[in-house]
Amino acid sequence: REGGLEGDVGESVKQEDGVSVSLSGLREQSRQAYLEKREARELELLEQAIRDEEELFSGQEMTERERKDLAMRKEILRMAKNRGGEEEDDAGGYRLPDGFIDEDGMINKEKKESVLTSRYKDDVEEKGEMELWQEEQTKKSQMGFGKKKKDEKEYDFVFDDAIDFVVTETKKGKNKKGKESDDVKPDEPEEPVAKGLTDHEKILVGRKKLPVFAYRDEFLEAVAEHQVLIMVGETGSGKTTQTPQYLHEAGYSKLGKIACTQPRRVAAMSVAARVAQEMNVKLGNEVGYSIRFEDCTSPKTIVQYMTDGMLLRSFLTEPDLKSYSCLIIDEAHERTLHTDILFGLVKDIVRFRKDLKLIISSATLDAEKFSSYLDDAPIFMIPGRMFPVDILYCKQPEADYVDAAVVTTLQIHISQDIDSGDILIFLTGQEEIEQCAETLTMRTKGLGARIPELIICPVYANLPADQQARIFMKTPPNSRKVVIATNIAETSLTIDGVCYVIDSGFAKQKSYNPKTSMESLVVTPISQAAANQRSGRAGRTAPGKCFRLFTAWSFKNELEANTIPEIQRTNMGNVVLQLKALGINDLLSFDFMDPPPAECLMRAFENLYALGALNDRGELTKLGRKMAEFPLEPMLSKSVIIAEKYGCVKEVLSMVSMLSIGASVFYRPKDKAVHADTARLNFARGGGGDQISLLRCYTEWEDSGFQTQWCFENYVQSKSMKKARDVREQIAGLCERVELEETSCGVSDFEKVLKAFTAGFFFNVSKLARSGDYTTVKARHTVYIHPSSCMAKDEIPADFLVYFELAFTTKEYMRQVAPIKGEWLTELAPHFYNEAD
Ligand code: ADP
Ligand code: MG
């Protein structure tokens, strides 16, 4: 199911013509609209005045009047900033009238009158405006959980949007033996660490407290006895950081490197840094990591953390992995595509390398499956303690989970004891995380010293290393940490001290649409299993609470029980290419743990053959070998590579990047629709359809020096453009690797560009039928031009169209279409088309 929980968190991912539009895209639109408003300046003034005043009054008594006045200005500021829509709406958004803020940042007296009068029409005469305003805020601020203390009354105005939660169940705790128990005791108060201990000595004391430490010797015995071992333990028990060190201490590093794979780059880097610290060595020497585009290892390295994709690539250069003595496939429960392929490869390799130790490590209990796949390998359990966790669900579906997460955080922060624990929020990606952090910062800043400090720590892949370290720092007294993360914090990273989890219920997942052969990252509801993993993060050090930003009904009825392994929801084209590049030819008998459906494999073979990546014996061609280097869908990588032949690599790279960001590029505010449409037409003028419009758009932006201003002027989303630029840089880097020269033919010569595009996308061609409709050339399916296309209103329809993808809604729509010549087909795809077509 693409596009989220309809009718539940429906707003968060909207279905629009069958294509999911992420909330961030919508948000970006409203933010840009907002930016254009002249109010921006006024708000700045207001903000400055508030800051000045706070400074002026710091440490001094304010009169009641002054206090209220300041509070009101802050609230106006917050509401005005929060306003999403155009009109004043029920969510409390303000539209500031002209001249509402004076030059000195004060609210204009007469104007204030008018705003308040319109909001509280009738009563304003009888009651004082301020009282009324406060009354309304108080009414709205009923918090749905927790005890509210008397002295917290003054925080009331924080919420005009409190969320109601219901406690439905409590997840039972587990005692030290890993048995469910009603009575899990917290730790004895920590003995004061003896004075004079260095930081490193303190770390060593900490290592011994981890659950896995008690099983160190048993673990090493099991490894000595068995070649293959399945290791299972709760997140945070020490599997990732400790077991490689144990293996090293037991002498395995003398025989070869100890490798530990991670599905995510951030986890590989962060864990390696931690282990280097624990072993008191410099990162990159004895302990290192390798991720794509970055190798932080040296000949000295004995413990190597790496992404699963990197280990996969090692098979290309060292098929027997003889430089390794132990392999730990970590986070196996995640079942990423790379991990699944690794399973098949390592299963094979342990048969002929009897000296290689293999450990499959997982945070969930369904280890039997791994065990039976690996010839009944023994399962090593690390019992972990777990405190009970209350599960709270939203009473009503929340429209915007980022906003709901912000409000819930504030609710927790204010209503719960300050030393009761830190907060962990699960969102889906960097953009959301940044926005959440930004809103939290703004809302807490407005409250100044009235609430205890909230330390906001975002975590995502591109975060600088020093920022990453911040998430692990101990929270100082009288403050609370809130970590905002993707599902990386589900099992890969453990943050001590978390007692509250806020779960959006979503994650970004790769999803593959076999009808269109397209793969994209889509915000998808998580599985019940993942939701339970997330809630478990709240009960590591003390009893905790998990706030689910979805309803109990939704959990039961709309979430899948388990996450479907990536291999079953991915485009097999890429997998086949990768495995072929590894020299594995007979894929039908490859030992997959969960084999992809045979017909998917066959379809992939056929398509790769038609693309020219495989020859008629099913072997990789020279072209196929190059295509395997690109992390792109084969149709796209073919277009890029073939572009060299037409001398238009530069143009195709820009076009492909624009096409593959999957976000909307053009922006159309309601009140400026005509301007926006004209701006868009400018890109389409000159012909070439949507693909070439996108190319013109990118090229002009590039010519402007990648200006944000240019985006505003041309009604183009600057964030989408920046994303496209990032993607482009990555692909261009790979072009260098396969020695593809970045030739350029100029935008005006766009027929070449379309030819290169068609060389990859010839599966997606439709022909004008006598009826005036288009039908696909091979399947003779009726398809329509998507209304958003710049060709939708062309008076003279083109005879042949190539399209980027099909969107299924009321009709089958072709999205991103371009006119081509019929005779290109037999020229570009002789294996697929013949004269009869
Ligand atoms: P597992 O792999 O079993 O989930 P880990 O080995 O990742 O467990 O984590 C064990 C402990 O190490 C965690 O409880 C955490 O306290 C600590 N830890 C892990 N990474 C870091 C880090 N980068 N900084 C500080 N502490 C860390
Ligand atoms: Mg781990």
Side-chain angles (χ1 to χ4, degrees), residues 544-749:
K545 291 191 168 76
C546 174
F547 298 85
R548 293 186 173 157
L549 301 177
F550 42 92
T551 61
W553 188 89
S554 156
F555 178 82
K556 283 202 195 80
N557 300 290
E558 296 184 312
L559 300 194
E560 307 271 356
N562 286 297
T563 315
I564 300 164
E566 192 179 349
I567 201 161
Q568 296 194 329
R569 53 183 162 82
T570 192
N571 178 350
M572 285 311 289
N574 277 328
V575 181
V576 171
L577 266 186
Q578 288 222 11
L579 287 174
K580 291 269 176 187
L582 285 170
I584 294 159
N585 276 313
D586 185 9
L587 287 179
L588 284 173
S589 51
F590 186 76
D591 192 0
F592 290 108
M593 185 177 324
D594 285 300
E599 60 196 286
C600 282
L601 273 176
M602 291 319 292
R603 166 112 27 99
F605 284 137
E606 281 165 20
N607 287 356
L608 288 170
Y609 172 70
L611 282 168
L614 300 178
N615 64 18
D616 51 10
R617 289 188 304 277
E619 298 157 351
L620 213 56
T621 61
K622 221 165 130 193
L623 172 69
R625 199 162 291 283
K626 279 189 182 173
M627 283 166 65
E629 292 281 338
F630 289 86
L632 290 172
E633 218 263 323
M635 285 150 78
L636 283 171
S637 49
K638 163 96 186 261
S639 298
V640 171
I641 292 166
I642 213 75
E644 196 180 34
K645 185 171 154 193
Y646 299 105
C648 55
V649 175
K650 178 171 186 278
E651 286 75 22
V652 170
L653 276 181
S654 305
M655 176 188 66
V656 162
S657 312
M658 290 289 274
L659 286 169
S660 54
I661 51 174
S664 55
V665 171
F666 302 106
Y667 148 66
R668 192 174 186 267
K670 272 203 201 90
D671 55 343
K672 297 251 172 64
V674 182
H675 292 88
D677 291 345
T678 316
R680 229 197 121 174
L681 264 179
N682 271 335
F683 297 122
R685 198 164 296 147
D690 296 310
Q691 279 80 342
I692 301 302
S693 288
L694 288 173
L695 170 61
R696 283 198 191 96
C697 176
Y698 188 87
T699 313
E700 281 184 32
W701 181 57
E702 192 177 19
D703 292 345
S704 81
F706 303 112
Q707 274 181 27
T708 310
Q709 183 62 28
W710 180 92
C711 297
F712 286 136
E713 284 162 9
N714 289 281
Y715 296 87
V716 166
Q717 311 252 22
S718 64
K719 274 212 170 147
S720 305
M721 298 304 290
K722 283 182 190 137
K723 225 194 231 162
R725 188 181 163 188
D726 284 348
V727 171
R728 196 184 184 288
E729 262 167 30
Q730 280 192 33
I731 314 176
L734 288 164
C735 283
E736 260 171 51
R737 259 226 326 240
V738 298
E739 293 173 350
L740 203 72
E741 204 189 326
E742 202 172 316
T743 48
S744 167
C745 65
V747 181
S748 52
D749 209 358

Side-chain angles (χ1 to χ4, degrees), residues 203 206 210-212 231 233-244 262 269-275 277-278 305 330-331 361-363 382 468-469 471-473 491-496 537 540:
I203 285 179
L210 292 173
V212 68
M231 171 168 67
E234 281 288 345
T235 301
S237 45
K239 299 183 299 298
T240 311
T241 54
Q242 304 307 304
T243 47
Q262 296 290 314
M269 289 158 66
S270 150
V271 168
R274 169 68 180 181
V275 172
Q277 198 186 10
E278 290 188 6
Y305 290 91
D330 202 358
E331 311 283 341
S361 158
S362 159
I382 305 162
Q468 276 175 33
I471 63 176
F472 295 107
M473 274 183 213
T491 57
S492 302
L493 293 184
T494 306
I495 299 141
D496 292 331
R537 301 302 103 240
R540 262 182 34 81

